[in-house]
Every structure is written in C-alpha cells, then in structure tokens.
Amino acid sequence: MIMSRIETAPDQAQGDLTERLLAGLPAEAVLTDPDVTAAYANDMASFCPAGAPAVVVLPRTVEEVQHVMRTATELRVPVVPQGARTGLSGGANASDGCIVLSLTKMDRILEINPVDRIAVVEPGVINATLSRAVNELGLYYPPDPSSWEMCTIGGNIGTASGGLCCVKYGVTAEYVLGLDVVLADGRLMTTGRRTAKGVAGYDLTRLFVGSEGSLGIVVRAVLALKPQPPQQLVLAAEFASAAAACDAVCRIMAGGHVPSLLELMDRTTVKAVNDLAHMGLPETTEALLLAAFDTPDPAPDLAAVGALCEAAGATQVVPADDAAESELLLQARRLSLTALEAVRGVTMIDDVCVPRSRLGDLIEGVERIADKHQLTIGVVAHAGDGNTHPTVCFDAADADESRRARESFDEIMALGLELGGTITGEHGVGVLKKEWLAREIGPVGIEMQRAIKQAFDPLGLLNPGKLF
Amino acid sequence: MIMSRIETAPDQAQGDLTERLLAGLPAEAVLTDPDVTAAYANDMASFCPAGAPAVVVLPRTVEEVQHVMRTATELRVPVVPQGARTGLSGGANASDGCIVLSLTKMDRILEINPVDRIAVVEPGVINATLSRAVNELGLYYPPDPSSWEMCTIGGNIGTASGGLCCVKYGVTAEYVLGLDVVLADGRLMTTGRRTAKGVAGYDLTRLFVGSEGSLGIVVRAVLALKPQPPQQLVLAAEFASAAAACDAVCRIMAGGHVPSLLELMDRTTVKAVNDLAHMGLPETTEALLLAAFDTPDPAPDLAAVGALCEAAGATQVVPADDAAESELLLQARRLSLTALEAVRGVTMIDDVCVPRSRLGDLIEGVERIADKHQLTIGVVAHAGDGNTHPTVCFDAADADESRRARESFDEIMALGLELGGTITGEHGVGVLKKEWLAREIGPVGIEMQRAIKQAFDPLGLLNPGKLF
C-alpha cells in the first residue's frame, strides 16, 4: 500500500498517475491495460511473489526517465526498474500499484572506441548485440550470462551478472567504468570515468553494480572492453566421482593455469542431458569437467590440464582438436538447465559460491540434501570460481514436493555459508534470498546497507521489498 | 577545533584522552611525546597542510582498534588512519589534536591459499613483503605502486593504488575481495567474501577501497592472487616527438596487444635521467616508450609492437633478449622521479588520467603549461592506461616559483578534465585535490558522496578535512 494514496480512490489515483506520466512521455510509452501490464509482473525466478503494476512505462530518453522518477517522487509511487526480466531472484518482480520502468527501449550503442577499449551504451542494449558489435572491431565484452541472447546490459549491471567466462575474465562489475544514473528524485548523477584508471572520490559506480535497481536508474554505462582472444579450445574429462572431478579443479587452479572456462556437471546433470539429447555420455560418468583455454597456443595448457585430470582419477580425457569439436563438447553444458527442467517440469536454480577448495564438500552436501528430501538436484558449476548452481527439480503441482524443493534450496544456502561461501555468486538477492542476505552479512552489515539505501532513496520508492 | 573539547583546557583534554586510550592499549602503543608524534604529521605530498596530533596509537589487534574508535567517539576526537605515509595527496596528514591511528604494527600475513588464490592479511603488511611471500608459492599479487618496498596494503586499499602493472592487471581495487572494518563507533563489520564471485548486497568492499580512511578502519583484507606469470621481456623505443610515441601507444592498444607494462617518458624526463645517471640515452630522444610482455612466448608480441613503433616513427627500437637486459631498460623509468627531483630540489607529482586516445593532447598541453610558467615539468606516464604523472620541478625556497608550480599543477588537472579525464588515476584526492574533486564529479555527485560519509561517520571523526 502506498502511503500517500491511502486517501484516494484507486481509480482516481491511477488516473492521476497516468495523466502525470503522459505529461512527459508519449502515449505509446505508457501502458495501462492490465492484460498488458500483467506481462511485466515477473522475472524468471520461482517462488517469488509479484504484484500488479499500476502502469508500465517504456522511456526512450534520459529526460523521460527523469520525468518518471520526478512523478514517482511527487506521487510517492514505487518504481520497479526492469531489463529483459531474465533474472532468477525476483529482483525485477512488480509490487502492487507500482510503476514498472522498463529500460528495454533505451537500446542504443552510443560509442565503441578501440583505442580506449570502451563502449558507451544505453541500458536496454542486449548483451549479445553488444558482444557482436564489439567483436566486429576485434574487441571483446566478456560477461556472458546464460541468458546473453536476451538479457540487457542494464539488467546485467543491476545484478552484477557472471557467466562462463568469469574464471578468467571476471564478472560484469569489472567492466563497468562509469554510469549515468537518474536518482529517485529525478536528478541525474554521473559516476566514474571513461579512463582506464580513476580514484576520484568513493566508488559509486561499483555501488550501483549489483544494487538491483534499488539506488537509482542506470541510463548510460561506460564499459571496458578487452581485445578479442583467440577461439578457445576445450577439453572434456570424465570422472568416476564428483570428488575426483573437484580434486582435478583444485589441482588445475593450484597449478597456476588460467582456463577461459572450467565447468563441472554432476552425475544427475549428465544423466538428464543424456536422457534429453541422447549424447552418448557414458552411464558410468559421475562427473564431467570441461576446461578451455583461449591463448594463442592452448596445446601445452590443455596437455597439462589433461594430465592433472588423469592424476585426479579421470576415466577419460578428450581434448578437442578444433573450434568445431570444442563447440560439440560444450553442447552438453549448454543443455544442462533445459535437461534438468525436463526432469520434473520446474526447476529452482540456486547460486551458491564457495571457496573453490570446498567445491567437493558442497557437491557432496547437495547429494545428501537431495537424498534427505527425495528430490532430484543436479549441480552445474562454474567450477573454477567455486560458483555452483544446484538445480532443484520439482513438480510445481505437487504441494509437498514444492515445499521440499524450497526447503532443500534453503539448506543448500546454509551449507554454502557453512563452507565459507556466499548465498549468491551471480544471480543476486532479489526477493528470493532476502532473508538469507541478513544471515550472510550480519546485523551491522545490514544496518550499513540500509543506511546507504536511505541516503539514495529516502522515500523508499526504488524497487521496494527487494534485497532487505 | 573539536567541539566537545572547547570547554576543556587542552592539557586536561589531552590527559583524559591518553588515559582512556591506555585503558585498552599497552603503554608502548600510545605515543604522546610531541617530538615523536610530530614525525607522524605528514605523508609525502607537497603543499598539504598538516596539524599536530594529540597522540599516536599503534594497535596490534582488532580489539585495540575497536577500543581506539570507541574512545574517539566518546570523546569526539578525530582519527587519522595511517599506513606507511608514502601517499602523495596529503590523505594521511594529521589534523590538530587528532588521534593518529597507525596500522603499521598489524603486519601479519594470516593466510595464503594457492587453490583459492587468496591471501588474508592485516593492513600493515608491506606490499613487497606480501608480493615476495606469495611469489614463493608461485602466486602473484599484482598491484605495484612505486613505493611498494615501503607502502602497506592498508594504505594501498585506502588510496586504491595502482602501479606499472595496471595496464594488464588493473589496480588494487580489483584484488580486494573482502574486508574487516572497524566503524567509527568501534563496531566491527565484515564486507565481501573469500570466494571468487559474490553479489550478496551492495558492494561495500569497493566502497572502502579508495575511501582514504574516511569511512572506517580496515583491519583485515582478503586479497585475490594471480598465478605468477613468466618474467616479462621489455622493448624500448625512442621517438623524435612525444606525439609519435603517443601515436604508437594508440596503435599498440588498438592492435589488441596486452602488454604487462607500457610506460612513456617525455623529453624532460629523459634529459633528467641522463643528467643524473649518465645512461647514454640519445640527446635527440624526445620520448621513450617501454613496452613489456609476460606471456609464455613474448617474441611475437614484441616484434609486432616494435613494428607498430616504427610505423609511428620510432627512431630506434631495442628489444631485450633476456630478463637482465629487460631490467636494464627499465632502469631509466625507475630513476625518473629521483632524476626529476634533482632538477630543482622539490617536485609536485600530478596524477591525471585521460582516455589513452588523448594522451598526446595531454603531453602537448603540459609542455604549453611549462612554457607559460617557465617551469620544468617532466611527464612520466603509465601510457597504456592514459595515466600521466606530470611532475613539476621547483625550488621550494623561491616563493614565486612555488606559486607558479602550484598554478601549473592545477592547470594540468583542468586540462585533464577538459580531455575527458580524471584528476587522479591512482594517488587519491586527500587534501591536495579536494577542491578539484567537486569540479570533477559535480554538485549531485558531491552531495551523494557526503551522504555516504554521513551514513558511516555521522560525527565526522574519520580523517576529517580530506576528500571533500
């Protein structure tokens, strides 16, 4: 319930809000038909409540975003910023009576500069669109969440997205140099820089990355780019136990290797992929490890990593000879989530990141949790980062199975914290994990996080009910 | 003047403060002799006022730091945190009547983990000590400010230090995963993580990096490490103009190369080094460029970069054959600041970072400013980052020359901003550039920076008078 509207009849309030928004936005940018706005209620997370937006706005300019925020502040209406709604934590879910602020129409690439190695973009640019545009100039924008063909850069910034590349290239946060942000009251603030380095004042840029739209609206971003690396070459290794595969991961990282990808699929995931796609992976495979290198000469690293896998007990090591074979080996990984979804119809994807030395303990613990709750839980992991996605498969029509799914999901986070990890490596907190954030960072941490929220958004209008 | 002490006689107040501090600190950790405490008044910046500390404390434990901060809060005494005082912006300068909180005795390396690629350290660990300790395990802690043999990790975190390595490896900020921080009121807060990835809540870790001790006291840090790369191989290229050298830098970066070092010395610097060390650099050299690669096989990159230098008009290109020759080529760069100091006795080192495509304009502009003020200003630059250190040489005993030095210093920052750059790439704001911070980030930015300061330090006790 919005405080300032308690005294006003809902229809009247809605009319006022729409009228005020239309004073600074074209008609086609203001959607009020409930059948239409309902489509903007959710992101892709399970188990996250969502309300009915009062209105959806689709601004195309910074000025229009400023108008939306000024209107929201005047009328005390909450605002939920959205990208492509591919998030997995409910961070973009609407609240009742809110303005959904979709940034998808602000989708221009404003500049790509190969000397400065930067791109300047609007928030609605699709990750894949940017990636391809910079590739054409010999450049590389590394962050590659699984949803990269659909998700927006603004959404990536809001959730500090990761991907397969992170083990070598890091997460979205490391590629955001500067931002233009519309604050809750509609004022425009510029943070950061377009230079390679810069330490003038507190790092507000980083504060906005991963803030899930709760501190301001990102309307422009200066992104760092890398030179396009050579095509990566992949090696697949099969293991008779997850523990052996995790041992191989530890040996590879302790050995000083810098893979461009180091992914692990557990027995459950391998079986799900086999069932879906008949890929002929051996039934005896208890874990599959995929490592890749994108250096000019990956052969020595691949050979060394192959030997480390064998030393850790790999039952088979298959290095790709070329890019095409590499793609083939990666197919199994790419199909993992689809395959796990097919098991019981719905999945709930966890995102626990542990120190990579504890990866084996995490996977063993997840097996225990799956047994206890009589559930199928497949683990796909960005193993090189210790970032696991235990994926709980369940039938949403079965209330008891759904309850067990939710319980096991929480137990996996508890286990992650026990192992010195975090409840979220790359998906964010959103609605899904807000009770868990407090558990991870403790009361002093929460108090200081709230103080920052208060400093930027004293009226609490920006994406309320998320994070805390 | 400290508000709460206005009513108290200074000696009495000093006595109270010392007594309260001694309740939680051993006697040898509390220094009050003015001859001794005066030695803690300054860092290495020129033109920065400093006050006389009331007391210097040298805690060895987190609990002792908490006691200091609780005492400071109770008595409303400002606290100036210090590392090795090698800073160049006055950020560690004492204010009158303050507690200087030196973290130099908290100097233990608590953990180095080759699988997780992290180190856990106390803030007083010397950069070089950590670097050597991790090297022994095949690991690499990249940040390498010039003062690395003396400066502390805590100081590096406070100022978000850079160095020669940044063009490939980035700045200190990119290596800080998590922190333990004692807040102004003495409470302990943990930020971040010890995992490779993590996005639970706002990124408070990054907020503290570069905050110059104004938000809290870092008492422990989890640092990311890289595998130790091969020894780098250096190439030197001489140019008949700075513009040609800057053109070479642009070609190298646009060409997709990833040098481990890309440094530029202008004519003034080359001459100063020649005068000091008789290195036999040709008198005709108007600019010297040093590039290095630390890949397993640096030869192809060195050859390509040599060709790009020649295409840009290099008069001579000298690739090193081995590590010893590489070290020799780097000698000139390492001597630069000492050589420039010898010119007029004192230097004032600026730290302007511009988009690397504007490097030539910056150097040309600095020449103009030097001519106008009839001063010697040498430019040493981390060229690959566009981070320049225009170094104003002056005789501190000459009032007019000192005035001109200060004016030219400011004009260089104005030029940097004009070129789309920042007033500080790696040295920080401190006292030296606080008027300039406002100019760079604007009124809204300053307001939000102050709001964050207010959230963490409502009484304004932490390093007052810095940054804003």
Side-chain angles (χ1 to χ4, degrees):
Chain A
M1 184 59 73
I2 302 137
M3 295 306 284
S4 67
R5 288 171 61 203
I6 290 175
E7 305 300 317
T8 320
D11 284 357
Q12 179 60 37
Q14 167 87 49
D16 285 354
L17 173 60
T18 308
E19 199 177 306
R20 293 292 285 276
L21 288 169
L22 284 168
L25 287 163
E28 71 271 18
V30 181
L31 313 178
T32 53
D33 179 343
D35 291 341
V36 175
T37 59
Y40 290 81
N42 284 88
D43 65 16
M44 291 187 177
S46 304
F47 287 123
C48 291
V55 57
V56 174
V57 293
L58 296 148
R60 288 182 182 271
T61 68
V62 174
E63 292 70 26
E64 287 177 3
V65 174
Q66 291 184 279
H67 173 71
V68 171
M69 291 313 304
R70 275 193 296 263
T71 304
T73 291
E74 277 167 32
L75 301 182
R76 305 288 194 272
V77 182
V79 174
V80 176
Q82 286 184 351
R85 292 180 291 109
T86 53
L88 292 165
S89 69
N93 281 11
S95 48
D96 271 333
C98 77
I99 299 170
V100 162
L101 174 49
S102 170
L103 281 310
T104 48
K105 301 289 184 193
M106 293 182 70
D107 61 353
R108 290 178 303 160
I109 297 174
L110 302 171
E111 182 185 347
I112 300 173
N113 186 320
V115 172
D116 296 333
R117 288 186 187 162
I118 58 169
V120 183
V121 303
E122 292 183 336
V125 172
I126 305 290
N127 181 301
T129 306
L130 176 65
S131 292
R132 294 194 179 109
V134 306
N135 282 174
E136 279 176 26
L137 299 169
L139 294 162
Y140 176 41
Y141 177 69
D144 60 346
S146 297
S147 56
W148 75 295
E149 292 277 8
M150 299 148 70
C151 63
T152 65
I153 297 296
N156 296 169
I157 291 171
T159 52
S161 304
L164 302 188
C165 74
C166 303
V167 62
K168 179 165 181 178
Y169 294 101
V171 295
T172 297
E174 289 169 55
Y175 295 88
V176 186
L177 297 178
L179 296 171
D180 282 359
V181 178
V182 174
L183 299 176
D185 59 11
R187 288 185 300 169
L188 186 64
M189 178 174 76
T190 297
T191 75
R193 55 191 209 266
R194 49 180 289 143
T195 52
K197 290 155 82 178
V199 293
Y202 303 137
D203 191 344
L204 298 191
T205 307
R206 271 301 182 105
L207 195 59
F208 276 91
V209 178
S211 66
E212 304 188 6
S214 68
L215 299 178
I217 311 294
V218 170
V219 290
R220 208 184 64 118
V222 183
L223 304 173
L225 304 173
K226 300 259 182 202
Q228 175 75 0
Q231 180 82 39
Q232 64 185 2
L233 220 53
V234 176
L235 169 146
E238 294 164 24
F239 293 86
S241 74
C246 293
D247 179 30
V249 169
C250 292
R251 288 171 191 246
I252 292 165
M253 299 308 282
H257 297 282
V258 184
S260 52
L261 169 154
L262 187 55
E263 296 286 314
L264 187 146
M265 294 159 60
D266 74 345
R267 165 183 44 192
T268 305
T269 309
V270 170
K271 183 173 181 309
V273 170
N274 252 348
D275 288 349
L276 181 81
H278 313 291
M279 298 193 78
L281 293 165
E283 284 291 323
T284 52
T285 300
E286 295 280 307
L288 185 70
L289 194 65
L290 297 162
F293 291 86
D294 63 358
T295 49
D297 177 18
D301 273 309
L302 281 178
V305 163
L308 290 172
C309 287
E310 277 162 3
T315 49
Q316 200 183 351
V317 172
V318 184
D321 285 329
D322 54 32
E325 262 187 53
S326 293
E327 248 335 282
L328 216 60
L329 291 176
L330 287 181
Q331 275 306 318
R333 170 64 184 86
R334 291 198 208 287
L335 283 172
S336 296
L337 291 180
T338 311
L340 288 167
E341 266 168 28
V343 174
R344 300 288 296 161
V346 184
T347 56
M348 199 173 178
I349 305 170
D350 222 324
D351 176 39
V352 169
C353 190
V354 293
R356 63 176 77 84
S357 57
R358 308 307 299 272
L359 193 59
D361 298 323
L362 193 280
I363 293 180
E364 192 192 310
V366 171
E367 282 175 16
R368 254 196 334 266
I369 292 166
D371 286 348
K372 174 181 155 193
H373 291 286
Q374 295 177 286
L375 286 167
T376 301
I377 307 180
V379 180
V380 186
H382 308 308
D385 292 320
N387 190 186
T388 67
H389 294 310
T391 302
V392 186
C393 308
F394 66 102
D395 176 355
D398 181 332
D400 186 65
E401 193 168 316
S402 298
R403 180 190 54 76
R404 283 181 281 131
R406 178 74 225 203
E407 279 177 25
S408 65
F409 188 85
D410 283 354
E411 284 174 28
I412 291 166
M413 282 191 280
L415 173 64
L417 291 181
E418 243 179 77
L419 296 172
T422 171
I423 57 162
T424 175
E426 58 183 8
H427 292 172
V429 174
V431 179
L432 191 62
K433 298 184 172 182
K434 62 183 183 173
E435 284 84 18
W436 284 90
L437 179 65
R439 199 154 150 183
E440 174 165 341
I441 69 180
V444 181
I446 285 285
E447 186 185 320
M448 296 322 298
Q449 299 247 339
R450 281 188 190 279
I452 287 170
K453 168 72 173 174
Q454 177 70 18
F456 280 92
D457 181 22
L459 300 174
L461 298 178
L462 283 164
N463 215 6
K466 315 294 162 60
L467 276 166
F468 310 117
Chain B
M1 180 58 74
I2 303 137
M3 298 305 285
S4 67
R5 289 172 59 202
I6 290 177
E7 306 299 318
T8 320
D11 285 358
Q12 179 59 39
Q14 167 86 52
D16 285 354
L17 173 60
T18 308
E19 197 177 306
R20 294 292 287 274
L21 288 169
L22 284 167
L25 287 163
E28 71 271 17
V30 182
L31 313 179
T32 54
D33 179 344
D35 292 342
V36 176
T37 59
Y40 290 81
N42 284 90
D43 66 18
M44 292 186 176
S46 303
F47 288 122
C48 291
V55 57
V56 173
V57 292
L58 297 148
R60 289 182 182 270
T61 67
V62 173
E63 291 70 27
E64 287 176 3
V65 174
Q66 291 184 279
H67 173 72
V68 171
M69 291 313 305
R70 275 194 295 261
T71 304
T73 291
E74 276 167 32
L75 302 181
R76 304 289 194 270
V77 183
V79 174
V80 176
Q82 286 184 351
R85 291 180 291 109
T86 53
L88 292 165
S89 69
N93 281 11
S95 49
D96 272 333
C98 77
I99 300 170
V100 162
L101 174 50
S102 170
L103 281 309
T104 48
K105 300 289 184 195
M106 293 182 69
D107 61 354
R108 290 178 302 162
I109 297 174
L110 303 171
E111 182 186 347
I112 301 173
N113 185 320
V115 172
D116 296 332
R117 288 186 187 161
I118 59 170
V120 183
V121 303
E122 291 184 335
V125 171
I126 305 290
N127 181 300
T129 305
L130 176 65
S131 291
R132 293 193 181 109
V134 305
N135 281 174
E136 279 176 27
L137 298 169
L139 294 161
Y140 176 42
Y141 178 69
D144 61 344
S146 297
S147 57
W148 75 296
E149 293 276 11
M150 297 150 69
C151 63
T152 64
I153 296 297
N156 295 170
I157 291 171
T159 53
S161 304
L164 303 187
C165 74
C166 302
V167 63
K168 179 165 181 177
Y169 294 102
V171 296
T172 297
E174 290 169 56
Y175 295 89
V176 186
L177 298 178
L179 296 171
D180 281 0
V181 178
V182 174
L183 298 176
D185 59 13
R187 287 185 298 168
L188 186 64
M189 178 175 74
T190 297
T191 74
R193 56 190 208 268
R194 49 179 292 145
T195 51
K197 291 155 82 180
V199 293
Y202 302 138
D203 191 344
L204 298 190
T205 306
R206 272 298 184 107
L207 195 60
F208 276 91
V209 178
S211 66
E212 304 189 6
S214 69
L215 299 178
I217 312 293
V218 170
V219 290
R220 207 184 65 120
V222 182
L223 304 173
L225 305 172
K226 299 258 184 204
Q228 174 74 1
Q231 181 81 38
Q232 64 184 3
L233 220 53
V234 176
L235 169 147
E238 294 164 23
F239 294 86
S241 75
C246 293
D247 180 29
V249 169
C250 293
R251 289 170 190 247
I252 292 165
M253 298 309 281
H257 297 283
V258 184
S260 51
L261 169 155
L262 187 55
E263 297 287 313
L264 187 146
M265 296 161 59
D266 75 345
R267 164 182 46 192
T268 306
T269 309
V270 169
K271 185 175 179 308
V273 170
N274 251 347
D275 289 350
L276 181 82
H278 314 291
M279 296 192 81
L281 293 166
E283 283 292 323
T284 52
T285 301
E286 295 280 308
L288 185 69
L289 194 65
L290 297 161
F293 291 86
D294 63 357
T295 47
D297 177 19
D301 274 308
L302 282 177
V305 162
L308 290 172
C309 287
E310 278 162 3
T315 50
Q316 201 182 353
V317 171
V318 184
D321 284 329
D322 53 33
E325 262 186 55
S326 293
E327 246 336 281
L328 216 60
L329 292 175
L330 287 181
Q331 274 306 316
R333 170 63 184 87
R334 291 199 207 285
L335 283 171
S336 296
L337 291 180
T338 311
L340 288 168
E341 266 169 26
V343 174
R344 299 290 294 162
V346 184
T347 55
M348 198 171 177
I349 305 169
D350 223 325
D351 176 39
V352 169
C353 190
V354 293
R356 62 176 78 84
S357 56
R358 308 307 299 271
L359 192 60
D361 299 322
L362 194 277
I363 292 179
E364 193 192 309
V366 170
E367 282 175 14
R368 254 192 341 262
I369 292 166
D371 286 349
K372 174 181 156 193
H373 291 286
Q374 296 177 287
L375 286 167
T376 301
I377 307 180
V379 180
V380 188
H382 308 306
D385 292 320
N387 189 187
T388 68
H389 295 309
T391 302
V392 186
C393 307
F394 66 101
D395 177 354
D398 182 331
D400 187 65
E401 192 168 315
S402 297
R403 181 190 52 77
R404 284 181 282 131
R406 176 76 225 203
E407 280 177 25
S408 64
F409 187 85
D410 283 355
E411 285 174 26
I412 291 166
M413 282 190 280
L415 174 63
L417 290 182
E418 244 179 76
L419 296 173
T422 171
I423 56 164
T424 176
E426 58 184 7
H427 292 172
V429 174
V431 179
L432 191 62
K433 299 186 170 180
K434 60 184 185 170
E435 284 84 16
W436 284 89
L437 179 65
R439 201 155 148 180
E440 175 165 339
I441 68 179
V444 181
I446 285 284
E447 186 185 320
M448 295 324 298
Q449 298 248 337
R450 281 188 191 280
I452 287 171
K453 168 73 174 173
Q454 177 70 22
F456 280 93
D457 181 23
L459 300 172
L461 298 177
L462 284 164
N463 215 6
K466 315 295 162 59
L467 277 168
F468 310 116

